[in-house]
């Protein structure tokens, strides 16, 4: 039986591939890995649906001018990481 750490790693890899697929074509190996993982992971399937929906909405919005740089500050990023880590436990 796989350890919890291995399962979490697979989900991390799957979410990475889901996001990568939004930007460019996956290799055959990556595509098969993602497809295999999604057959058994309802959480990642839901993540994929939400990610695709967010991408569609963002593509419809007009782009900000190049002079505007939107960056999350370090404290906000840390808080998000802590919230995500708490959700997984």
């Amino acid at each position: 039986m796989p350890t919890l750490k291995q399962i979490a790693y697979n989900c991390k890899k799957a979410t990475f591939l889901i996001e990568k697929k939004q930007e460019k074509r996956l290799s055959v190996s990556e595509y098969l890995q993602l497809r295999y993982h999604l057959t058994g992971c309802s959480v990642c399937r839901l993540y994929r649906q939400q990610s695709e929906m967010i991408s569609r909405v963002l593509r419809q919005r007009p782009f900000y001018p190049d002079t505007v740089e939107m960056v999350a500050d370090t404290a906000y990023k840390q808080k998000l990481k802590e919230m995500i880590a708490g959700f997984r436990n």
Side-chain angles (χ1 to χ4, degrees), residues 73-87:
D73 65 12
T74 307
Y76 182 73
K77 289 179 188 178
Q78 184 60 35
K79 185 173 181 173
L80 284 176
K81 287 178 183 179
E82 290 168 4
M83 290 171 61
I84 292 168
F87 178 71

Side-chain angles (χ1 to χ4, degrees), residues 26-40:
L26 298 178
S27 69
V28 173
S29 173
E30 290 171 329
Y31 173 80
L32 292 173
Q33 289 174 33
L34 179 59
R35 185 149 172 117
Y36 178 76
H37 181 82
L38 291 175
T39 60

Side-chain angles (χ1 to χ4, degrees), residues 53-68:
M53 180 185 67
I54 290 168
S55 291
R56 276 194 305 273
V57 169
L58 289 176
R59 277 189 224 115
Q60 294 172 358
R61 292 188 66 200
F63 289 101
Y64 288 100
D66 291 336
T67 58
V68 176

Side-chain angles (χ1 to χ4, degrees), residues 5-69:
K5 198 173 211 177
Q6 288 172 321
I7 293 169
Y9 173 75
N10 288 337
C11 288
K12 284 181 185 180
K13 185 172 183 179
T15 56
F16 170 77
L17 292 175
I18 288 167
E19 295 303 324
K20 182 178 178 182
K21 187 177 177 198
Q22 304 269 343
E23 299 300 319
K24 62 182 183 177
R25 187 177 206 134
L26 298 178
S27 69
V28 173
S29 173
E30 290 171 329
Y31 173 80
L32 292 173
Q33 289 174 33
L34 179 59
R35 185 149 172 117
Y36 178 76
H37 181 82
L38 291 175
T39 60
C41 185
S42 62
V43 174
C44 287
R45 286 194 304 269
L46 178 61
Y47 178 86
R48 182 190 64 194
Q49 291 172 348
Q50 292 173 344
S51 177
E52 289 172 354
M53 180 185 67
I54 290 168
S55 291
R56 276 194 305 273
V57 169
L58 289 176
R59 277 189 224 115
Q60 294 172 358
R61 292 188 66 200
F63 289 101
Y64 288 100
D66 291 336
T67 58
V68 176
E69 185 175 334

